[in-house]
């Protein structure tokens, strides 16, 4: 069983940057794709970004393309989400997730393990 712990969230102003981290423990996740999702109250959890096990494939939601960058360091068992040019619409709880599937999908039900989330709040 793998445990995922997110960190790096906080309160920032519009235009600022944040870097989220997702650290895995319990076992290595170097063979798994890892993704970031976000959720606001009353809304469904939505896909943000994902990276393949090797780091060679990266997918992004249209809403974050060009502003967010996902990366991973398998030696540290950690995945990062660099978020630039933040807007109030990026305010949400951000979750990292791991999938056993060989392909990256944006559907939450295809992701097997989840962290507890970290709050990101962007003020205008």
């Amino acid at each position: 069983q793998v445990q995922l712990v997110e960190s790096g969230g906080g309160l920032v102003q519009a235009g600022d940057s944040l870097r989220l981290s997702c650290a895995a423990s319990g076992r290595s996740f170097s063979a798994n794709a890892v993704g970031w999702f976000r959720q606001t109250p009353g809304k469904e959890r939505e896909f943000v970004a994902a990276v393949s096990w090797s780091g060679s494939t990266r997918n992004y939601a249209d809403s974050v393309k060009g502003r967010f960058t996902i990366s991973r360091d398998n030696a540290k068992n950690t995945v990062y989400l660099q978020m630039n040019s933040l807007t109030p619409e990026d305010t949400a709880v951000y979750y990292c997730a791991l999938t056993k599937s060989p392909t990256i999908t944006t559907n939450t039900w295809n992701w097997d393990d989840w962290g507890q989330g970290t709050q990101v709040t962007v003020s205008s």
Side-chain angles (χ1 to χ4, degrees), residues 22-46:
C22 172
S25 62
R27 67 167 177 82
S28 170
F29 68 6
S30 61
N32 301 98
V34 179
W36 286 96
F37 292 75
R38 66 187 181 187
Q39 189 170 23
T40 55
K43 293 188 177 181
E44 293 189 355
R45 194 168 297 186
E46 65 173 3

Side-chain angles (χ1 to χ4, degrees), residues 1-8 20-29 34-36 71-81 95-98 113-118:
Q1 184 75 15
V2 64
Q3 290 79 44
L4 303 175
V5 178
E6 304 92 338
S7 62
L20 305 184
S21 298
C22 172
S25 62
R27 67 167 177 82
S28 170
F29 68 6
V34 179
W36 286 96
S71 61
R72 67 189 298 160
D73 185 337
N74 285 339
K76 295 183 178 179
N77 238 18
T78 302
V79 171
Y80 305 98
L81 185 68
Y95 299 88
C96 69
L98 180 151
D113 297 285
W114 294 84
Q116 293 300 306
T118 185

Side-chain angles (χ1 to χ4, degrees), residues 21-117:
S21 298
C22 172
S25 62
R27 67 167 177 82
S28 170
F29 68 6
S30 61
N32 301 98
V34 179
W36 286 96
F37 292 75
R38 66 187 181 187
Q39 189 170 23
T40 55
K43 293 188 177 181
E44 293 189 355
R45 194 168 297 186
E46 65 173 3
F47 172 80
V48 174
V51 60
S52 62
W53 68 272
S54 66
S56 61
T57 300
R58 305 178 191 187
N59 294 358
Y60 297 95
D62 288 342
S63 59
V64 307
K65 278 181 183 175
R67 300 188 298 122
F68 290 12
T69 302
I70 189 170
S71 61
R72 67 189 298 160
D73 185 337
N74 285 339
K76 295 183 178 179
N77 238 18
T78 302
V79 171
Y80 305 98
L81 185 68
Q82 177 67 42
M83 307 187 295
N84 298 330
S85 302
L86 286 162
T87 72
E89 287 69 38
D90 296 315
T91 295
V93 177
Y94 284 71
Y95 299 88
C96 69
L98 180 151
T99 179
K100 297 180 181 129
S101 171
T103 57
I104 294 174
T105 69
T106 62
N107 300 316
T108 57
W109 55 85
N110 283 328
W111 295 80
D112 302 287
D113 297 285
W114 294 84
Q116 293 300 306

